[in-house]
Amino acid sequence: MLRLSCPWLPHVLPFPLRPLSNLQIRCRHRLHRRREPLPWPRPKNVALRTNHRIFEVSNLVLDLDAEDSTHVRPYNEDLDGVPDPSWLQRDSNLKRVEKRIVEFQDEFREHDQNFKFLAENNFNPWRITDYDILSVALESSSTTETAQLPSPHTDLHSVQVANLIFEENGIPLSVRNNTSSAIAYMLRRQQQAQRQVLGDNDKKLLKEEMQSCKTFLAVNRLVTNVSQTPKGCLLVSRCTEILGLVCEKLAKSTPPVQMLSFLNNLIINLDSQDLHVRPSLLWCAYKAALNCSTFTTAQRYLGRVQGAISFGSTEVFESLELLRQSMDGSKPGLPEPSMRVDTAYQLSAIYGLLTGHRLGERTPQPSLRGFIFDCNDQCFYAYIDCLVNLGAFRTIWHIWHMLPDRAEDNFIYSERDNLPEPERGHEAEKALPVDKRTFPKAKAFTHAFYLAIEKNGRFAEMTQDTSFAHAVGQYDEDCQLDIKMMLESADILSTRVMSPSRTISSEEISDIFGRESVQESMVALQSFLQK
């Protein structure tokens, strides 16, 4: 039992005080010594034992001290409990230490197992690179030795990637809070997991690793790390078929800008070394360029896949739908308005992808025009719809006279809800030459003009230009005139203000574009739009 030596305690001097003649005070004689100064500022809630020395008192002394005291009662085990033995606290502290040791050993085994798995796989995408070390160094808030990394719970993409790299390489959590320690650990792990020399069986292993990647980030790191050397680039070029299939699968969950940037860098790197790129990867790059509205890049990839893969109605219609959404501004994932290029350039780039003609260039470029006549009526509808929205009236006049007539009934479009769906039939005619194929020209042209006039309330303002009815009669020259008018009327063509419904019949459209002279058709079209 412990008793404080201070005599001024309530159980020693109860109130009211008894006469001093009956009071006995026991006090240990204090030696006069210099008290050590307390630290400043003085700590709060300091235990009494730090200011008052304690001593042990026998039970006999306690009994004598409690004699004739009204504040002392007999000991009751049920009420007062049993005092803990002195070894219990020591065992409790040891158990906490042992528990922490077991947790530390489990963490070490887990980190060691993760690192061994990474080191054994020659194509693991989470191997530490020099760029990872540089990224961690730049993420620190200062350049001192105690620089702190951002919190692991930060939403920054770079911080999340760094945490994932640390986890896959078996770097403990305690090391991540200090930049200098983290970089030293990363350098050590990089040295231990040095990639082995590429062998003959690496092509199969690389394909398996590509197929096992579940995220675009893993694919990006895998390909980027392997293609750092000429031999690695050769290995990647042999696996571009599988890579194209993987990228196509991950395209829905990946922003198009990231996908296009990755594929552009990879294809440029392989082309610089005269290595072959499979059409499936080029097709992914083509679709990513369309989704990013970089139509010049898409046209370049289209020229490379042309003839390498079979462009069916599904692929052509998908491309035309992306073009229509770009012109309408309804495509999700478009860049911010401040980051977009000017409207005139975009419209001319879309026209170049549709027809292969650019301003001032006489040599046609790869385009979708060569695939339209081998597809179904649905693609023909979408193709004419894009040209009408661009105001390429001279071009569609040439298309009208390029195809033979099909016996069609007269259609009158007056309400959008009653527009008939494009037909998907006539599959038997795909094998016929272009001059023998038949398309619903009047129906498709009427359908396109009705939608264009309804979506754009300023569509008729293009007729106010004095050069609207100018035409040459040659396809290439008329395409150049369409591009010039497109550039001059870019503000009108980009307007999306609904206009009142207007009744349009297929007989009117047939009469306008069925004329022998393109200039006569343009004059008749001018009168038709000004109504």
Side-chain angles (χ1 to χ4, degrees):
M1 182 65 68
L2 301 178
R3 172 65 61 86
L4 295 174
S5 62
C6 180
W8 297 281
L9 296 177
H11 70 279
V12 177
L13 294 177
F15 295 94
L17 295 176
R18 292 177 291 175
L20 295 179
S21 58
N22 298 330
L23 181 64
Q24 295 180 357
I25 299 177
R26 305 180 184 90
C27 180
R28 182 176 62 85
H29 178 69
R30 294 179 178 272
L31 298 175
H32 294 284
R33 59 186 179 84
R34 184 177 181 181
R35 179 179 295 180
E36 297 181 359
L38 295 175
W40 183 262
R42 295 181 180 179
K44 299 180 180 179
N45 301 327
V46 181
L48 292 177
R49 64 177 60 90
T50 58
N51 293 332
H52 302 278
R53 299 183 64 180
I54 58 178
F55 61 94
E56 296 184 0
V57 180
S58 62
N59 294 333
L60 178 61
V61 175
L62 291 176
D63 293 339
L64 293 175
D65 181 62
E67 188 177 0
D68 298 332
S69 176
T70 59
H71 298 279
V72 178
R73 60 174 175 79
Y75 169 72
N76 189 343
E77 183 176 350
D78 296 334
L79 296 177
D80 301 326
V82 180
D84 295 333
S86 58
W87 53 266
L88 186 63
Q89 181 65 26
R90 183 174 65 256
D91 287 357
S92 177
N93 295 336
L94 288 177
K95 287 182 179 180
R96 287 197 293 266
V97 173
E98 292 174 355
K99 180 180 178 181
R100 180 66 189 98
I101 292 175
V102 172
E103 293 177 354
F104 178 80
Q105 291 176 347
D106 293 340
E107 292 177 2
F108 174 78
R109 293 192 191 97
E110 181 180 359
H111 294 325
D112 187 63
Q113 185 177 2
N114 291 342
F115 178 70
K116 286 182 178 179
F117 177 77
L118 179 139
E120 292 174 357
N121 189 353
N122 207 21
F123 296 105
N124 194 298
W126 301 109
R127 287 173 172 266
I128 296 178
T129 64
D130 296 338
Y131 296 106
D132 298 330
I133 299 174
L134 180 61
S135 176
V136 171
L138 295 178
E139 284 290 343
S140 59
S141 57
S142 62
T143 57
T144 60
E145 293 184 358
T146 59
Q148 299 294 319
L149 289 173
S151 172
H153 305 290
T154 308
D155 294 334
L156 293 176
H157 176 70
S158 58
V159 177
Q160 295 176 355
V161 174
N163 292 335
L164 187 57
I165 293 173
F166 289 160
E167 181 179 355
E168 294 294 334
N169 284 269
I171 299 179
L173 180 62
S174 58
V175 182
R176 306 180 196 181
N177 299 326
N178 187 277
T179 304
S180 58
S181 300
I183 292 177
Y185 221 113
M186 292 176 69
L187 290 172
R188 177 58 179 167
R189 289 300 199 198
Q190 184 186 31
Q191 182 182 6
Q192 291 176 339
Q194 192 68 30
R195 180 179 286 109
Q196 304 297 324
V197 180
L198 298 178
D200 298 334
N201 198 31
D202 287 332
K203 179 181 177 181
K204 180 180 178 181
L205 296 177
L206 181 58
K207 288 183 177 181
E208 293 176 354
E209 190 65 32
M210 286 181 179
Q211 293 174 341
S212 64
C213 293
K214 303 300 181 182
T215 61
F216 171 74
L217 178 61
V219 175
N220 190 357
R221 290 184 57 87
L222 171 62
V223 176
T224 304
N225 294 343
V226 176
S227 59
Q228 297 296 321
T229 60
K231 193 171 183 179
C233 288
L234 178 61
L235 191 60
V236 171
S237 67
R238 295 174 179 175
C239 302
T240 49
E241 185 71 24
I242 299 297
L243 180 60
L245 298 177
V246 173
C247 291
E248 186 175 3
K249 183 177 63 175
L250 298 175
K252 295 181 180 180
S253 59
T254 305
V257 176
Q258 296 183 12
M259 181 66 73
L260 180 61
S261 176
F262 164 69
L263 294 178
N264 269 342
N265 293 334
L266 176 61
I267 294 174
I268 291 174
N269 190 11
L270 297 179
D271 289 342
S272 64
Q273 303 182 40
D274 297 329
L275 297 176
H276 180 64
V277 181
R278 296 303 180 95
S280 61
L281 190 65
L282 296 173
W283 172 248
C284 287
Y286 165 73
K287 291 198 297 186
L290 282 183
N291 282 293
C292 293
S293 298
T294 55
F295 304 110
T296 304
T297 304
Q299 189 174 13
R300 185 167 61 251
Y301 286 126
L302 179 63
R304 297 186 62 174
V305 299
Q306 192 172 4
I309 62 175
S310 58
F311 256 68
S313 300
T314 304
E315 291 78 13
V316 174
F317 184 75
E318 182 181 355
S319 301
L320 293 173
E321 277 297 306
L322 291 175
L323 293 179
R324 287 200 292 189
Q325 292 175 9
S326 298
M327 287 186 287
D328 295 340
S330 60
K331 185 171 64 177
L334 286 175
E336 296 295 331
S338 59
M339 300 296 293
R340 299 179 192 170
V341 296
D342 60 302
T343 307
Y345 176 79
Q346 285 290 77
L347 295 179
S348 63
I350 294 175
Y351 181 81
L353 185 58
L354 290 172
T355 63
H357 286 270
R358 298 178 183 175
L359 183 63
E361 297 183 7
R362 297 297 179 182
T363 304
Q365 301 296 323
S367 66
L368 295 172
R369 179 174 176 268
F371 305 102
I372 294 300
F373 304 114
D374 296 329
C375 299
N376 55 20
D377 292 351
Q378 189 182 25
C379 296
F380 184 72
Y381 270 76
Y383 186 74
I384 297 300
D385 189 17
C386 291
L387 290 178
V388 172
N389 278 279
L390 292 173
F393 306 122
R394 302 169 185 83
T395 304
I396 61 177
W397 181 90
H398 285 279
I399 294 177
W400 179 285
H401 289 268
M402 187 185 303
L403 300 173
D405 296 330
R406 173 191 288 184
E408 302 179 53
D409 298 329
N410 182 34
F411 293 94
I412 299 177
Y413 293 161
S414 59
E415 297 181 4
R416 185 183 179 92
D417 295 338
N418 295 332
L419 288 179
E421 291 293 330
E423 298 180 6
R424 299 173 179 264
H426 308 287
E427 298 294 334
E429 296 184 357
K430 291 184 178 180
L432 297 176
V434 175
D435 56 351
K436 295 184 179 181
R437 289 287 309 279
T438 59
F439 288 93
K441 297 187 297 184
K443 189 175 179 181
F445 279 48
T446 308
H447 176 271
F449 270 97
Y450 181 86
L451 292 180
I453 294 174
E454 187 184 36
K455 288 187 296 185
N456 192 346
R458 301 177 57 193
F459 199 72
E461 295 182 16
M462 291 188 298
T463 60
Q464 300 175 2
D465 193 346
T466 56
S467 61
F468 179 83
H470 290 178
V472 178
Q474 299 294 328
Y475 178 73
D476 294 339
E477 285 75 5
D478 287 339
C479 287
Q480 295 294 322
L481 291 177
D482 279 339
I483 297 175
K484 292 179 182 179
M485 188 179 70
M486 197 182 307
L487 298 176
E488 295 173 358
S489 307
D491 183 51
I492 299 175
L493 294 173
S494 60
T495 303
R496 289 295 176 264
V497 179
M498 301 296 291
S499 64
S501 299
R502 175 181 174 179
T503 301
I504 302 177
S505 66
S506 59
E507 288 184 349
E508 292 179 291
I509 300 299
S510 299
D511 179 65
I512 293 173
F513 290 96
R515 304 192 180 193
E516 295 298 329
S517 173
V518 60
Q519 192 164 5
E520 294 178 2
S521 295
M522 294 299 294
V523 174
L525 180 62
Q526 188 175 20
S527 302
F528 170 77
L529 293 176
Q530 289 177 350
K531 290 182 181 180

